[in-house]
Each structure stands twice: as structure tokens, then as C-alpha cells.
Amino acid sequence: FSGIMGATIGMISAPNGPVTILLSGLVVMLKPDYAPHEMLMIVGAVLFLTGVFQIIFGLLKGGEIIKLIPYPVVTSMITAIGILMIKSQITQIMPSDSTEGWAHYIPLLVASMTVAIIYLCRRYFPRLPAILIGLLAGILIYSLLTWRSGHPDPSWVIGTLPAFEFSAILQRFNGLDVMALPWALITTSALALTVLVMIDCLLTALVADSQTSARHNAKNELVAQGMAQMLIGVVGGVGGGGTKGATLANTMAGGRRWSPVFAALVILLMTLFGRDVSSFLPLSALSGVIIYIGLNMININIILWIKDRFTRVDAINALMVIAATLVFDVTKAVALGLIFAVVTFIRRGIKRSLIRSETNISEYPSPRKRSKK
């Protein structure tokens, strides 16, 4: 829905961390009192109502609040996400104890060579899709190395995707009593999830704008995300929104207007017909792509801000947001950065003189006064 409406150029939407964490907490709370099929219906109702609230917020132009987020908060958030992306891939490329000799260094070698090929391709062949070439090269290198070793570890590839059953969607509604659902809990959870999803999605839109130099339409984006969230609740899927890592991977590879739609179609086709294709995709090659993207997301200029007394406060704000993102999560870090930015703005306003200079009426003549000449 987001890609079709084109509200944010290049933004990829998918299940993400903040939504999964909130829904997981809801499931844990429901577990003592509800059966598994009842919990699934409650989560579906929460997602459906979240979509309704997102559409309402979008029509009321609630997304305009994202314009108040200062630049140091956005750039530090992107830097922190880059660090988290690199950190998340370390376990994928570390030497494995399941193989002997040089073979247990294969994931590390594939990831390193993937990063190097992307860098070289981007530098010497800027018109070619460097990330795609690096990924294909990583797959080829992995195939050659594992063929040479003879005993690849099954955990080095994504593996076969589970089968998709259309009948499971309709069977969920058999014997459903809508009035028996805990609507008070569903409504409050949906409101909390709406705020979380809205902020996270619009922050991702800002990330996309920083790469494409375009300007997203917050109203249309929230309406599109709300329509998708409602559909997710009906089919029993996992809620989500704009994902920063996938969005940066897309925009840095040159993806723009129709790339989100194409990405969604590829995932749908792989789910329906290409479940075995992913068994040939090495995680180490994907890790190399993600590590390269994470390195490019880190803004070194934040350190340089400390040298200038005019930008030193912004540097402190940015470093604080990065630390909060690494320790807590993106949403809490942005909230902390906003509070710091507001306090800084008020502090500067207090120190600023209300009257800069004294003037007389002759310096500012009335627009009704006409020159005799």
C-alpha cells in the first residue's frame, strides 16, 4: 500500500522491532487467561484497530509533528541504527565450531569479500548497482568455497521457507464471538501501538528523504500504512511499518518510486512459489551487504561538531541519542533527543536579547508615505 501510493519514495515496509516487542508483551500478558487461538484473534483486532487509528491520525494531519524533530536527532538516530546493524551481523560471520580447518572461516571470508566488492564497484563503476553486484558475487564466492571445503554448515544459509495455507486465514474466524473480546484492552493497546508505529514510520520516511532528496507526504503515508495494518490484522500477519535498514539498502542501491512495490511482489512470489530458493542464499553474503550499509550510515561529522563551540551542544545531543539507541531503543532515544533539543532551544531563547537595537520612525517609514520625487 505504501509503495503504490508513493507517499515516501524508496521506503520499504515490513515487520519491525518496535511493533514485535509491543505485541510480544501483549501476548505474554494474555497467556494466563486466553487460549492460543483467542490470543491470535486479540492481536489481530489490535492491529486492525491500529490501522483505523493510523488513518484517522493521517487525515487529521497528525504526521506534521515529525517536522519538529531536529537534524542532530535524525542524523544520530541513523548513525546508531548503522551501529546496531553491524552489531547484529557479528554472530552470523564469526568462525563456526561445526567445521574443521579453514572452512569455519568461510562466513567471515564471504562477508569481507562482499563488502570489498561493493566498495570497489561503487568507486570505479558508479553507474552499476553496487549492492546487487556485491550480493551476487558473495553468493558465487560462497558456492566456490563450500564446494572446495565439501562440508558446508546448514546454518550458513537461510533455509526453506514454510508453506503458506490460504485456508488458515478463514478458519481463524470459525465460532468467533466479537463481543466477547476484551475491547478495553484492545483499544488501549491499539492506541499505544498507533503512536509507536506512527513515530517509527515517519522517522523512516525522514531516513528515506535524506537519501533520495525527496519530501514525503505524511498524510498519505499514514493512510497507506493504516490500510495495510488493517489487512494484516484480518489475515493474521505480524504488524509493522517502515523499516530503516531495508529502506537504506533500497535507496542506497538506487531504488526509488516503484522499488517498494517490486520488493513486495518478490517477497510474495518467493513465499508462494520460491520457498526452496532461499536455501541457496548464504547469510554471510547478506551480512556483508548489511555491514556495508551500516558503515555508510555512520556520520563521522558528529565527532567534528565537538570542536566548534556553536555545534558542541548538537554533538552532545547526537551522542546522547546514539547511546540511548544502543542501550534502549530508537523510540526512547528520539524522545530523549527531542526533550534535550527543546531544553536547548529554551535556554538559547532565554539568553537572547529581546531588543537588539533602538530605532526611530525615520528608519522605518510608513508604506503609505510617498516620496516627493
Side-chain angles (χ1 to χ4, degrees):
F1 279 93
S2 176
I4 291 172
M5 295 188 69
T8 304
I9 303 300
M11 188 172 83
I12 304 295
S13 299
N16 54 25
V19 177
T20 305
I21 292 172
L22 193 146
L23 292 179
S24 300
L26 177 62
V27 170
V28 171
M29 185 173 60
L30 294 173
K31 189 175 182 180
D33 302 320
Y34 294 92
H37 70 280
E38 293 174 327
M39 288 190 290
L40 185 60
M41 292 307 305
I42 293 173
V43 171
V46 169
L47 290 172
F48 185 88
L49 201 57
T50 299
V52 174
F53 289 148
Q54 280 184 266
I55 294 175
I56 294 173
F57 271 106
L59 295 176
L60 295 177
K61 297 184 178 181
E64 299 297 322
I65 192 174
I66 204 72
K67 295 178 180 179
L68 301 177
I69 298 181
Y71 174 76
V73 176
V74 176
T75 189
S76 58
M77 178 196 67
I78 295 174
T79 299
I81 293 171
I83 297 173
L84 288 175
M85 288 174 64
I86 297 172
K87 181 182 177 183
S88 67
Q89 301 305 308
I90 298 300
T91 56
Q92 300 287 350
I93 63 176
M94 292 300 292
S96 173
D97 296 332
S98 59
T99 55
E100 298 179 357
W102 66 271
H104 66 280
Y105 291 104
I106 288 179
L108 181 61
L109 289 172
V110 172
S112 301
M113 295 182 73
T114 300
V115 174
I117 291 172
I118 295 174
Y119 175 78
L120 293 174
C121 183
R122 200 176 186 93
R123 181 170 183 177
Y124 295 105
F125 306 98
R127 294 188 177 183
L128 297 178
I131 292 180
L132 179 59
I133 292 175
L135 179 60
L136 294 176
I139 295 173
L140 179 61
I141 293 169
Y142 171 82
S143 301
L144 293 175
L145 291 177
T146 52
W147 173 75
R148 180 70 177 172
S149 66
H151 299 286
D153 191 330
S155 64
W156 289 350
V157 295
I158 295 177
T160 304
L161 296 175
F164 182 78
E165 299 179 5
F166 288 98
S167 59
I169 296 176
L170 299 177
Q171 291 175 358
R172 294 168 55 243
F173 300 99
N174 294 339
L176 173 63
D177 185 3
V178 177
M179 300 307 297
L181 296 176
W183 284 106
L185 176 62
I186 291 173
T187 304
T188 54
S189 300
L191 283 171
L193 187 59
T194 300
V195 175
L196 181 65
V197 169
M198 185 178 71
I199 294 175
D200 189 64
C201 179
L202 294 177
L203 285 174
T204 306
L206 287 179
V207 172
D209 291 348
S210 67
Q211 296 292 319
T212 62
S213 300
R215 188 170 184 177
H216 70 274
N217 187 316
K219 174 185 173 181
N220 291 347
E221 186 62 54
L222 289 178
V223 171
Q225 294 286 340
M227 294 168 64
Q229 211 79 260
M230 293 171 65
L231 182 60
I232 290 170
V234 171
V235 301
V238 180
T243 52
K244 300 172 185 64
T247 297
L248 282 164
N250 176 51
T251 52
M252 291 177 66
R256 291 299 183 263
R257 172 66 179 90
W258 295 106
S259 55
V261 179
F262 183 75
L265 290 175
V266 170
I267 294 173
L268 180 61
L269 292 174
M270 283 189 63
T271 304
L272 297 177
F273 309 109
R275 297 188 299 111
D276 296 329
V277 174
S278 57
S279 60
F280 300 99
L281 296 177
L283 291 170
S284 52
L286 296 174
S287 296
V289 172
I290 294 173
I291 290 172
Y292 175 82
I293 295 170
L295 290 172
N296 278 270
M297 291 169 63
I298 298 175
N299 191 344
I300 305 298
N301 292 328
I302 293 176
I303 305 299
L304 301 178
W305 293 352
I306 301 177
K307 297 180 179 180
D308 194 332
R309 65 185 184 90
F310 294 104
T311 57
R312 195 165 295 152
V313 175
D314 293 332
I316 295 173
N317 188 1
L319 293 173
M320 184 175 60
V321 172
I322 293 173
T325 304
L326 297 176
V327 175
F328 303 109
D329 57 62
V330 176
T331 306
K332 293 179 182 177
V334 171
L336 185 63
L338 284 174
I339 293 172
F340 189 87
V342 170
V343 172
T344 304
F345 177 78
I346 294 174
R347 180 173 174 270
R348 288 175 178 174
I350 292 174
K351 289 186 175 182
R352 188 179 294 120
S353 175
L354 295 178
I355 301 176
R356 293 178 178 267
S357 62
E358 294 183 358
T359 61
N360 54 51
I361 192 65
S362 64
E363 296 180 28
Y364 296 96
S366 171
R368 294 180 178 274
K369 185 177 180 180
R370 298 290 185 266
S371 172
K372 293 181 180 180
K373 296 182 181 180

